[in-house]
C-alpha cells in the first residue's frame, strides 16, 4: 500500500514545478512587489541621510530600500525641529476620544434598537441608516459653520465630535446585539435586572469582538481623516498627523527625508497593530457589508 | 397589582432606553440631519464675505452652476476617474479573492499584505506613490529606464495624471473589494461545484456559470460602494496635483472644497454639494435597479 502510494506520488510532485505553478509564483511575486515596495521604501528611506537617499535612487537596487549606514537623525529632526510630535499627539488624542465615545454612544442606541420593542423602531433604524446615503463631503460647509457658531472651531473636540454618531457602527452593533439569544434576556429579566444593567452587564460583554471591530475601524477612520481637520483647524499647534504630513510635502523646498520619516511614523505603528487585529477589521466590514 | 408593577417597569425601561439613545440622537440631529437640511437651505442664498450674512437669492446658484464650465469639466473628470477605477478595482478584487480563497499560509500572508493599504492613510499613500511616480526622482521611471523605456511625465502629463491617481486609489482600496469578494466566494456551497464537475464542467465553465452569477449580490455591493468612493475622490488630488496639469485632474469634491474654503464662496459651494449628493443617490439607485433587473433573468 505504502509503496504503491509512493509510486503514484511522483507525478504530483513533478507537477509542482510545472508552468502553472511557476506562473503562480510569478504572480505572487508581482503582488508582493506592488504591495510591499512602498512600505519598504518608506522604512528604508527613513533611516538614510538625505544624501544617501538621493544617491541610492538610481539605479534601483536593493540599496534603494536598505540603508547602508542606518541613522535616526531624520526622526530626531522631525520630532525636534518641526511640530510633528505635537501633530502625532493630537492625532492620538483625537483617535482615542473618537473611538471611546463612538463605541459607547453607538452601542447604547444599537442595544435599544435591538432589544426594546417600541412602535416605530424599524422606522428609526431606517432613518439612521439613511444618513449613510449622504456623502459627508456634501455637508462640510454647514458643519464648519455650526462649529463656528458653537465657538468650538479650531479645537481638538471639533475634529472628532461630528463623527462620533456613526450609522455604520450602529448597524454593525445592532446586528450583533440582535443575534444574542432571547434566553439571555429572559433570564436577566427574571433576576430583576434593570434595562441599563441589561445593556452594560449582560449584553455588552457578549459582543466584545464586534466592539473591537467597531473600535478599530473607527480608529483607522480617525487616523486617516484629512479633509475635515484641514478645514476646521487653522492653529498649527492643533494640527493632526495627516495635515502635518501634507504640509511637509507641499513646502516650497521639500525635505524629502522628513517626508519619509513622517510617513513612517504615520504608517508603521498602524500596520503593526493591524497585523494583530486584522481578523476584527475584516469581520467588521464583511458582517456589515453583506447583510 | 402585577399590572401596575409591570407598567412601572415598562416606564422605567422606556426611560432607560431613552437615556441610552439620547447622545446618539443628539449627534444625529446636530451633525447629520441639520447640516444636510442646512446645505439645502444655504444653496438658495448668497454669502457676503464682509458681513458674513446669507441672503436669499432663490435658484441663482443653480443657474450659475448650469453655466459653469469648470463644474462640467470636474464632473467629466470625475466620471472619467470612475470609469478607469471601478472596473479595474472590481476585476482585480475578484481575481485576488480567487487567488487567496484556498486557505493556507501564503493566502493569509498575501491577504494581510494586500490589506496594508486599507489601513494606511490616503495622505501617506498619495505621498509615497506620488514620489514613486515622480517624473524626475521617482523609482518607477528608474525601473522603466533600466528596461530601456523613456521616462514618463506621469502626474505632470495631462493624459497620464488621472490614470496615475486612479492607480493609487486602486492600490489603496482593492484590499477591501477583495475581502468582500472573498466572503462572497466562501458563501457559495461546495456542492454546486461538485455537481457541475460531475456533469463535466471545466474550470472556466465553473467560474462563468457558478461563481460569477452567485456573486451577484457581492458585485452589486462592491460596485455601489466603490462608485460612491470614486465620485468622492479628493485627497490624492489635493496632495499631488491640485487639479492640474491644465485642469486634467480637477474633480468635483476638490472643486467644491476650494470654492468654499479657499475662495469663501460658501453658498455656491453648497449648491454644488446638493448637486453632488443628488447625483450620488441617483447613481446608486440606478446601479441597484439595473443589477436587480439582471437578477430576474
Amino acid at each position: 500500500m505504502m509503496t504503491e502510494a509512493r509510486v503514484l506520488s511522483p507525478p504530483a510532485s513533478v507537477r509542482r514545478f510545472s508552468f502553472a505553478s511557476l506562473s503562480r509564483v510569478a504572480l505572487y511575486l508581482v503582488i508582493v512587489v506592488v504591495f510591499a515596495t512602498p512600505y519598504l521604501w518608506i522604512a528604508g528611506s527613513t533611516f538614510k541621510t538625505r544624501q544617501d537617499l538621493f544617491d541610492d535612487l538610481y539605479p534601483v537596487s536593493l540599496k534603494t530600500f536598505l540603508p547602508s549606514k542606518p541613522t535616526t537623525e531624520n526622526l530626531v529632526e522631525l520630532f525636534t525641529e518641526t511640530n510633528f510630535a505635537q501633530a502625532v499627539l493630537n492625532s492620538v488624542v483625537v483617535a482615542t476620544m473618537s473611538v471611546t465615545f463612538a463605541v459607547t454612544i453607538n452601542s447604547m442606541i444599537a442595544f435599544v434598537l435591538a432589544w426594546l420593542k417600541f412602535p416605530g423602531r424599524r422606522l428609526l433604524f431606517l432613518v439612521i441608516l439613511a444618513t449613510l446615503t449622504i456623502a459627508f463631503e456634501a455637508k462640510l460647509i454647514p458643519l464648519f459653520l455650526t462649529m463656528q457658531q458653537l465657538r468650538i472651531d479650531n479645537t481638538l473636540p471639533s475634529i472628532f465630535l461630528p463623527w462620533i454618531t456613526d450609522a455604520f457602527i450602529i448597524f454593525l452593533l445592532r446586528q450583533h446585539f440582535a443575534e444574542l439569544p432571547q434566553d439571555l434576556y429572559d433570564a436577566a429579566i427574571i433576576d430583576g435586572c434593570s434595562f441599563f444593567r441589561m445593556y452594560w452587564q449582560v449584553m455588552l460583554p457578549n459582543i466584545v469582538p464586534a466592539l473591537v471591530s467597531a473600535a478599530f475601524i473607527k480608529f483607522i477612520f480617525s487616523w486617516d481623516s484629512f479633509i475635515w481637520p484641514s478645514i476646521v483647524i487653522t492653529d498649527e499647534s492643533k494640527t493632526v498627523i495627516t495635515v502635518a504630513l501634507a504640509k511637509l510635502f507641499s513646502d516650497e523646498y521639500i525635505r524629502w527625508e522628513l517626508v519619509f520619516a513622517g510617513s513612517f511614523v504615520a504608517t508603521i505603528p498602524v500596520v503593526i497593530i493591524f497585523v494583530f487585529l486584522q481578523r476584527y477589521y475584516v469581520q467588521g466590514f464583511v458582517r456589515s457589508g453583506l447583510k | 397589582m402585577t399590572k401596575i408593577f409591570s407598567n412601572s417597569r415598562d416606564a422605567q425601561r422606556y426611560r432607560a432606553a431613552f437615556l441610552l439613545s439620547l447622545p446618539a440622537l443628539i449627534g444625529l440631529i446636530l451633525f447629520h440631519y441639520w447640516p444636510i437640511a442646512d446645505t439645502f437651505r444655504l444653496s438658495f442664498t448668497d454669502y457676503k464675505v464682509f458681513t458674513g450674512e446669507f441672503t436669499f437669492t432663490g435658484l441663482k446658484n443653480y443657474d450659475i452652476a448650469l453655466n459653469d464650465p469648470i463644474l462640467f469639466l470636474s464632473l467629466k473628470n470625475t466620471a472619467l476617474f470612475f470609469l478607469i477605477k471601478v472596473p479595474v478595482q472590481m476585476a482585480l478584487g475578484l481575481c485576488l479573492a480567487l487567488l487567496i480563497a484556498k486557505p493556507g499560509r501564503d493566502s493569509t500572508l498575501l491577504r494581510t499584505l494586500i490589506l496594508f493599504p486599507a489601513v494606511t492613510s490616503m495622505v501617506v499613500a498619495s505621498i509615497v506613490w506620488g514620489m514613486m511616480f515622480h517624473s524626475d526622482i521617482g523609482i518607477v521611471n528608474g525601473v522603466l529606464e533600466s528596461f530601456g523605456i523613456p521616462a514618463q511625465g506621469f502626474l505632470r502629463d495631462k493624459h497620464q495624471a488621472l490614470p496615475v491617481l486612479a492607480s493609487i486609489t486602486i492600490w489603496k482600496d482593492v484590499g477591501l473589494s477583495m475581502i468582500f469578494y472573498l466572503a462572497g466566494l466562501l458563501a457559495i456551497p461546495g456542492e454546486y461545484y461538485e455537481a457541475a464537475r460531475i456533469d463535466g464542467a471545466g474550470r472556466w465553465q465553473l467560474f462563468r456559470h457558478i461563481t460569477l452569477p452567485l456573486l451577484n449580490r457581492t458585485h452589486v455591493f462592491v460596485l455601489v460602494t466603490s462608485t460612491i468612493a470614486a465620485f468622492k475622490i479628493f485627497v490624492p488630488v489635493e496632495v499631488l496635483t491640485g487639479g492640474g496639469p491644465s485642469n486634467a485632474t480637477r474633480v468635483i469634491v476638490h472643486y467644491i472644497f476650494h470654492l468654499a474654503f479657499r475662495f469663501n464662496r460658501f453658498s455656491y459651494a453648497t449648491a454644488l454639494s446638493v448637486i453632488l449628493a443628488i447625483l450620488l443617490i441617483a447613481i446608486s439607485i440606478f446601479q441597484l435597479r439595473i443589477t436587480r433587473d439582471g437578477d430576474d433573468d
Side-chain angles (χ1 to χ4, degrees):
Chain A
M1 225 27 209
M2 212 40 194
T3 45
E4 217 173 64
R6 290 226 170 151
V7 171
L8 285 175
S9 65
S13 62
V14 167
R15 226 179 21 239
R16 288 179 74 109
F17 301 99
S18 70
F19 176 74
S21 71
L22 205 68
S23 58
R24 199 178 175 86
V25 169
L27 192 60
Y28 279 19
L29 209 64
V30 170
I31 294 172
V32 169
V33 166
V34 168
F35 284 92
T37 305
Y39 298 96
L40 294 177
W41 199 37
I42 293 175
S45 306
T46 298
F47 299 100
K48 282 181 187 179
T49 60
R50 183 182 172 87
Q51 194 56 44
D52 282 355
L53 191 74
F54 282 99
D55 289 350
D56 296 347
L57 268 178
Y58 292 121
V60 176
S61 69
L62 211 58
K63 246 174 70 178
T64 314
F65 302 97
L66 288 174
S68 45
K69 327 180 265 295
T71 166
T72 54
E73 67 181 55
N74 297 332
L75 286 169
V76 172
E77 200 179 327
L78 182 73
F79 282 121
T80 53
E81 286 173 34
T82 71
N83 70 338
F84 207 77
Q86 184 68 49
V88 173
L89 184 68
N90 290 342
S91 273
V92 169
V93 170
V94 166
T96 311
M97 299 309 260
S98 175
V99 166
T100 312
F101 281 119
V103 169
T104 312
I105 287 174
N106 293 310
S107 71
M108 293 189 323
I109 194 167
F111 167 69
V112 173
L113 287 167
W115 283 99
L116 186 76
K117 310 264 183 292
F118 61 96
R121 74 169 177 156
R122 275 189 67 85
L123 182 70
L124 178 61
F125 190 44
L126 283 177
V127 169
I128 291 173
L129 290 187
T131 61
L132 289 174
T133 61
I134 306 283
F136 81 82
E137 288 83 352
K139 54 190 186 200
L140 290 175
I141 295 158
L143 265 184
F144 173 67
L145 298 173
T146 305
M147 290 299 153
Q148 284 188 327
Q149 277 153 10
L150 295 173
R151 299 197 183 285
I152 53 167
D153 59 310
N154 216 357
T155 63
L156 289 187
S158 71
I159 303 177
F160 63 81
L161 267 179
W163 318 110
I164 289 176
T165 320
D166 185 330
F168 171 80
I169 295 181
I170 295 175
F171 179 77
L172 173 70
L173 297 181
R174 197 210 79 102
Q175 300 299 89
H176 282 85
F177 274 127
E179 281 168 15
L180 294 177
Q182 181 75 37
D183 292 351
L184 191 69
Y185 183 86
D186 294 340
I189 287 283
I190 291 167
D191 287 347
C193 184
S194 75
F195 196 70
F196 181 76
R197 274 189 49 213
M198 180 82 79
Y199 157 73
W200 182 247
Q201 289 187 332
V202 180
M203 298 285 187
L204 205 57
N206 277 300
I207 62 155
V208 168
L211 295 177
V212 177
S213 295
F216 191 57
I217 289 170
K218 197 69 184 174
F219 173 81
I220 296 297
F221 174 87
S222 175
W223 195 257
D224 185 25
S225 66
F226 173 70
I227 304 186
W228 179 244
S230 65
I231 290 170
V232 83
I233 298 297
T234 47
D235 190 342
E236 278 229 352
S237 69
K238 287 170 190 132
T239 194
V240 292
I241 197 162
T242 48
V243 180
L245 252 180
K247 193 171 172 303
L248 271 182
F249 190 65
S250 67
D251 282 344
E252 194 85 6
Y253 169 78
I254 300 179
R255 302 283 309 273
W256 294 99
E257 67 283 10
L258 295 189
V259 172
F260 277 111
S263 302
F264 180 82
V265 172
T267 307
I268 303 304
V270 182
V271 165
I272 290 171
I273 298 172
F274 171 75
V275 170
F276 295 102
L277 292 184
Q278 60 167 313
R279 191 163 59 92
Y280 297 101
Y281 183 79
V282 169
Q283 282 298 320
F285 277 111
V286 169
R287 286 292 303 275
S288 46
L290 295 170
K291 292 218 164 153
Chain B
M1 197 56 195
T2 44
K3 180 86 183 146
I4 294 165
F5 177 67
S6 113
N7 270 350
S8 80
R9 267 202 79 106
D10 271 357
Q12 247 177 14
R13 190 181 309 162
Y14 278 115
R15 197 179 312 129
F18 177 71
L19 288 175
L20 283 173
S21 314
L22 194 60
L25 291 177
I26 293 173
L28 283 166
I29 292 166
L30 203 56
F31 301 122
H32 292 272
Y33 304 126
W34 160 251
I36 291 166
D38 210 30
T39 299
F40 203 61
R41 181 181 70 87
L42 293 178
S43 74
F44 300 110
T45 65
D46 189 31
Y47 175 74
K48 293 274 183 291
V49 181
F50 296 109
T51 55
E53 275 170 12
F54 291 89
T55 47
F56 183 78
T57 52
L59 290 169
K60 195 175 141 222
N61 288 321
Y62 293 94
D63 209 39
I64 299 173
L66 284 178
N67 299 301
D68 182 351
I70 303 180
L71 171 66
F72 284 96
L73 181 67
S74 8
L75 285 174
K76 196 193 94 191
N77 287 336
T78 312
L80 195 60
F81 179 82
F82 150 77
L83 284 175
I84 301 168
K85 178 182 164 161
V86 171
V88 176
Q89 185 180 325
M90 289 181 73
L92 280 179
L94 177 58
C95 291
L96 290 172
L98 288 166
L99 188 69
I100 65 161
K102 209 182 283 172
R105 203 175 167 76
D106 43 352
S107 292
T108 315
L109 284 175
L110 271 187
R111 191 190 69 177
T112 308
L113 183 63
I114 296 168
L115 276 171
F116 276 178
V119 296
T120 301
S121 75
M122 194 66 230
V123 173
V124 172
S126 302
I127 287 177
V128 68
W129 278 103
M131 292 193 287
M132 301 219 290
F133 277 117
H134 198 286
S135 43
D136 302 331
I137 60 157
I139 57 178
V140 178
N141 266 339
V143 172
L144 288 182
E145 275 173 3
S146 62
F147 283 105
I149 302 167
Q152 304 291 311
F154 294 127
L155 293 165
R156 286 182 189 164
D157 181 310
K158 66 177 182 191
H159 298 295
Q160 294 176 354
L162 207 60
V164 169
L165 294 184
S167 323
I168 297 172
T169 58
I170 291 169
W171 178 80
K172 167 128 168 80
D173 298 333
V174 75
L176 274 183
S177 300
M178 172 191 77
I179 283 303
F180 290 124
Y181 272 121
L182 190 62
L185 283 176
L186 298 179
I188 299 175
E191 298 95 68
Y192 288 17
Y193 291 106
E194 279 156 35
R197 227 175 264 130
I198 290 167
D199 291 347
R203 282 179 75 173
W204 169 250
Q205 283 173 313
L206 290 181
F207 177 73
R208 175 70 190 76
H209 296 291
I210 297 181
T211 312
L212 266 187
L214 285 176
L215 284 176
N216 207 6
R217 276 170 53 119
T218 317
H219 292 314
V220 175
F221 181 80
V222 175
L223 174 69
V224 173
T225 50
S226 60
T227 300
I228 292 173
F231 270 84
K232 301 196 299 186
I233 165 78
F234 172 80
V235 176
V237 177
E238 172 72 8
V239 173
L240 293 177
T241 64
S246 52
N247 279 333
T249 59
R250 192 163 292 285
V251 290
I252 183 70
V253 173
H254 188 260
Y255 184 44
I256 295 175
F257 177 90
H258 276 257
L259 281 174
F261 300 105
R262 297 287 176 266
F263 301 106
N264 287 320
R265 292 183 65 187
F266 285 119
S267 292
Y268 184 49
T270 51
L272 300 193
S273 301
V274 170
I275 293 173
L276 171 68
I278 292 173
L279 191 68
L280 283 181
I281 292 174
I283 291 170
S284 304
I285 292 173
F286 176 72
Q287 288 182 335
L288 287 171
R289 279 200 90 111
I290 55 163
T291 43
R292 192 158 301 157
D293 286 350
D295 233 4
D296 295 336
D297 290 344

